[in-house]
């Protein structure tokens, strides 16, 4: 029942951003720079019509070949999404083909959620580009935001012609994105589902999966996980590494649809040329200004990536440290040789003593609202807050560090280790890390949910939970607080009525949160 308002809000959000953007089919023209724009139909898998646009460099006469970049659209967004970036790429000598993913807007078929038909579509669009444009078959790239990023990564596992990928605000592991900690990310799924119904035609498989997911049907859990794995590039690493495409990954620290952890884990396992960039914001907000044609750091990096790996331009991107981060504070960019170097130092916060809380009640600590909260953090450094001294201890476990004499630069993935004793066999807990000022106001640094099933009431068990990766500077004079409660509007909780959770710290296995810090 709680999903209904979220679906309504998501539908309104999507309507406000996409209605009126649908292009006129089969239009064509010449831009002021001399590039040409055509709207075309491309036959996808099974003959399904994919609505597409093609931007060709000025002076293309058929005698010369140009590198080509294929751009699948984001979830619920029409085919003109990338026109501003396509124009910039064409101006610098690329053929660009952008197409509306099947099941959305004017394209045919049903929404497959990056399934095998979507992957086949990507290869058929490449076939079409090589046959109908002055595209160079040896210089093929793919890129996209969100849904387009996921499809691009999956396509690179199946089509060895793809030499470079820029996957922005996407996913590598769909399960770790919307079902991390065995917990449904309610608002994320509701936004995606609502947008799909509003702008497209969900197929029967997607409708079934959404229903099972939101209804918490454990009998269908294995089936849902298998469905997600077939749509996750992380399960196809061997093929991606064998094909050897140069892969750039970009995301936002506060992405409430596809959290950054799963991208970082995937990045570490890639063996070919690779780059990882994280910036403040929420889902797709790091790339948004670039889609409007405005200056944008993410798209600038993507252009440099393609210039080097498709054109062979010696722009130095291959010699730069490949992990590039912008903290959520006002600091500038930081570069690292790899992900494990990001939080090379560690500080532990002991979770001593025993704390017992009632479930089913929101203590006031929560991760905010999908999109809104992290956009505010991106623009004005205003993350979700909570008054730590006023949190009701009957519903929230609270532990605090000492007050720090110097600034603490949190970088990477904080990890919770604790012992939990439940009164019921199922339950959900949500862990939060707060930056607490002198007056007790806590600003959210990170969070993550954890759900268990099949535990024995009264019997303790160990919980190890990774919080969502971040880069946050804790000012001198502040402290860190760890809060654990059982309800958060971002997630579906599985706490039976009257349930209680006890958190303890056995002498032989003490509880703690390890906080990764930037090396001095």
């Amino acid at each position: 029942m709680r999903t209904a308002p979220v679906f309504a809000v998501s539908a309104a959000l999507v309507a406000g951003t996409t209605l009126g953007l649908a292009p006129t089919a089969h239009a064509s023209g010449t831009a002021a720079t001399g590039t040409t724009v055509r709207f075309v139909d491309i036959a996808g898998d099974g003959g399904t019509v994919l609505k597409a646009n093609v931007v060709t460099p000025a002076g293309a006469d058929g005698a010369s070949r140009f590198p080509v970049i294929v751009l699948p659209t984001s979830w619920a967004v029409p085919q003109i999404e990338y026109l501003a970036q396509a124009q910039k790429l064409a101006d610098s000598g690329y053929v660009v083909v952008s197409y509306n993913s099947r099941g959305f807007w004017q394209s045919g078929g049903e929404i497959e959620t990056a399934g095998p038909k979507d992957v086949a579509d990507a290869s058929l669009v490449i076939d079409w580009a090589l046959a109908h444009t002055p595209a160079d078959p040896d210089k093929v790239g793919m890129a996209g935001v969100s849904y387009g990023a996921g499809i691009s990564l999956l396509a690179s596992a199946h089509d060895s012609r793809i030499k470079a990928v820029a996957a922005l605000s996407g996913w590598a592991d769909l399960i770790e994105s919307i079902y991390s900690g065995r917990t449904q990310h309610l608002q994320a799924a509701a936004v995606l589902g609502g947008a799909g119904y509003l702008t497209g035609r969900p197929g029967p498989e997607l409708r079934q999966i959404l229903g099972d997911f939101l209804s918490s049907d454990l009998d269908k859990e294995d089936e849902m996980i298998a469905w997600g794995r077939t749509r996750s590039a992380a399960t196809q690493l061997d093929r991606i590494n064998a094909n050897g495409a140069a892969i750039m990954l970009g995301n936002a620290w506060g992405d409430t649809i596809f959290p950054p952890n799963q991208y970082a884990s995937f990045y570490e396992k890639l063996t070919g040329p690779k780059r990882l960039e994280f910036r403040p914001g929420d889902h797709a907000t790091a790339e948004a200004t670039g889609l409007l044609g405005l200056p944008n750091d993410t798209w600038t990096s993507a252009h440099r990536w393609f210039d080097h790996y498709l054109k062979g331009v010696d722009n130095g991107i291959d010699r730069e440290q490949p992990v590039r981060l912008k903290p959520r504070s006002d600091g500038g960019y930081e570069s690292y040789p790899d992900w494990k170097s990001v939080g090379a130092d560690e500080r532990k916060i002991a979770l001593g003593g025993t704390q017992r809380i009632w479930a089913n009640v929101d203590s006031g600590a929560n991760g905010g609202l999908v999109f809104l909260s992290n956009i505010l953090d991106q623009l004005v450094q205003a993350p979700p807050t909570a008054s730590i001294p006023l949190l009701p201890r009957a519903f929230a476990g609270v532990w605090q560090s000492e007050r720090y004499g110097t600034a603490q630069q949190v970088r990477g993935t904080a990890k919770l280790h604790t012992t939990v004793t439940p009164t019921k066999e199922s339950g959900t807990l949500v862990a939060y890390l707060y930056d607490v000022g002198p007056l007790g106001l806590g600003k959210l640094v990170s969070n993550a949910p954890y759900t268990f099933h099949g535990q024995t009431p009264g019997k303790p068990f160990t919980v190890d939970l990774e919080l969502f990766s971040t880069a946050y500077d804790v000012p001198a004079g502040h402290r860190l607080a760890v809060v654990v409660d059982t309800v958060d509007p971002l997630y579906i909780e599985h706490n039976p009525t009257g349930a209680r959770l006890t958190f303890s710290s056995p002498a032989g296995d003490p509880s703690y949160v390890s906080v990764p810090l930037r090396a001095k």
Side-chain angles (χ1 to χ4, degrees):
M1 291 178 65
R2 286 181 298 170
T3 66
V6 183
F7 270 110
V9 171
S10 67
L13 287 171
V14 174
T17 55
T18 59
L19 289 178
L21 294 181
T24 301
H26 304 290
S28 62
T30 302
T33 57
T35 58
T36 59
V37 181
R38 292 183 292 145
F39 287 92
V40 300
D41 290 348
I42 298 176
D45 186 61
T48 297
V49 173
L50 305 175
K51 295 294 181 176
N53 57 66
V54 184
V55 187
T56 308
D61 55 7
S64 300
R65 292 288 171 181
F66 301 88
V68 58
I69 297 176
V70 173
L71 301 165
T73 54
S74 302
W75 185 271
V77 182
Q79 71 190 76
I80 63 168
E81 175 184 12
Y82 301 113
L83 272 181
Q85 284 301 317
Q87 184 70 60
K88 290 177 180 290
L89 287 164
D91 287 344
S92 60
Y94 292 91
V95 171
V96 184
V97 182
S98 173
Y99 69 95
N100 227 125
S101 305
R102 68 168 51 228
F104 286 106
W105 293 92
Q106 295 168 320
S107 284
E110 296 176 322
I111 301 171
E112 297 287 334
T113 323
K117 292 181 180 179
D118 289 303
V119 175
D121 286 344
S123 288
L124 289 170
V125 171
I126 293 172
D127 291 345
W128 185 94
L130 297 179
H132 297 90
T133 74
D136 188 333
D138 296 322
K139 299 177 180 179
V140 178
M142 283 195 71
V145 175
S146 185
Y147 194 45
I151 291 174
S152 295
L153 285 176
L154 288 163
S156 73
H158 294 271
D159 195 325
S160 60
R161 296 174 297 180
I162 300 170
K163 298 300 190 291
V165 172
L168 312 177
S169 288
W171 77 92
D173 190 325
L174 193 56
I175 298 302
E176 282 301 307
S177 294
I178 61 173
Y179 194 52
S180 70
R182 207 179 176 186
T183 308
Q184 298 99 321
H185 293 211
L186 170 62
Q187 291 185 22
V191 166
L192 292 174
Y197 276 96
L198 179 67
T199 65
R201 299 167 299 282
E205 187 177 31
L206 175 58
R207 293 197 299 269
Q208 182 67 47
I209 289 293
L210 270 175
D212 293 341
F213 183 84
L214 293 172
S215 66
S216 305
D217 188 346
L218 281 179
D219 290 338
K220 298 296 184 69
E221 184 180 40
D222 290 343
E223 185 179 319
M224 289 187 291
I225 290 174
W227 178 87
R229 284 177 175 163
T230 64
R231 290 157 169 80
S232 297
T235 63
Q236 302 188 41
L237 265 164
D238 289 347
R239 299 184 67 159
I240 292 172
N241 287 332
N243 287 340
I247 294 179
M248 171 186 159
L249 305 171
N251 206 353
W253 293 118
D255 194 322
T256 44
I257 306 294
F258 304 126
N261 300 46
Q262 45 92 30
Y263 248 16
S265 176
F266 178 71
Y267 169 84
E268 285 289 87
K269 297 170 186 174
L270 291 170
T271 59
K274 58 184 180 179
R275 186 176 179 90
L276 178 67
E277 299 189 357
F278 286 142
R279 295 176 174 84
D282 205 308
H283 184 62
T285 63
E287 302 85 24
T289 56
L291 294 175
L292 299 175
L294 300 174
N296 180 276
D297 289 350
T298 304
W299 283 104
T300 296
S301 290
H303 285 233
R304 293 181 65 225
W305 192 250
F306 287 127
D307 284 350
H308 181 75
Y309 287 103
L310 293 184
K311 286 185 175 180
V313 176
D314 185 14
N315 56 17
I317 199 168
D318 57 318
R319 297 186 295 275
E320 296 171 0
Q321 292 196 104
V323 176
R324 190 167 184 250
L325 315 177
K326 187 173 184 181
R328 289 162 50 194
S329 55
D330 292 328
Y333 284 96
E334 302 169 0
S335 296
Y336 301 85
D338 49 40
W339 177 249
K340 65 178 178 289
S341 300
V342 170
D345 288 347
E346 178 189 73
R347 182 186 291 268
K348 286 187 177 180
I349 301 172
L351 309 183
T354 299
Q355 297 198 33
R356 183 176 293 107
I357 64 174
W358 289 95
N360 307 114
V361 177
D362 189 342
S363 70
N366 63 67
L369 293 173
V370 64
F371 294 129
L372 178 61
S373 297
N374 288 311
I375 290 175
L376 287 174
D377 187 35
Q378 176 184 6
L379 297 177
V380 293
Q381 287 82 55
T385 59
S387 176
I388 303 304
L390 297 181
L391 290 175
R393 291 339 192 233
F395 309 115
V398 180
W399 300 262
Q400 295 194 71
S401 72
E402 74 278 10
R403 199 178 303 277
Y404 300 120
T406 59
Q408 305 293 299
Q409 295 180 304
V410 180
R411 299 290 185 272
T413 309
K415 299 176 182 179
L416 167 74
H417 175 79
T418 191
T419 296
V420 177
T421 304
T423 59
K424 306 288 184 180
E425 66 174 15
S426 296
T428 296
L429 60 92
V430 185
Y432 308 89
L433 185 65
Y434 282 99
D435 159 26
V436 185
L439 299 179
L441 182 66
K443 294 183 177 181
L444 186 65
V445 177
S446 185
N447 77 99
Y450 181 91
T451 293
F452 60 89
H453 297 287
Q455 295 294 334
T456 302
K459 182 178 180 181
F461 65 95
T462 300
V463 170
D464 286 289
L465 174 64
E466 289 190 351
L467 277 63
F468 300 136
S469 303
T470 194
Y472 183 97
D473 294 340
V474 180
H478 287 212
R479 65 180 75 205
L480 287 170
V482 178
V483 177
V484 181
D485 72 2
T486 62
V487 176
D488 189 307
L490 286 172
Y491 313 113
I492 291 179
E493 50 96 359
H494 298 260
N495 297 295
T497 301
R500 299 184 76 181
L501 300 178
T502 299
F503 299 90
S504 58
S505 184
D509 185 20
S511 297
Y512 61 86
V513 166
S514 65
V515 180
L517 301 175
R518 186 182 184 189
K520 300 295 185 183

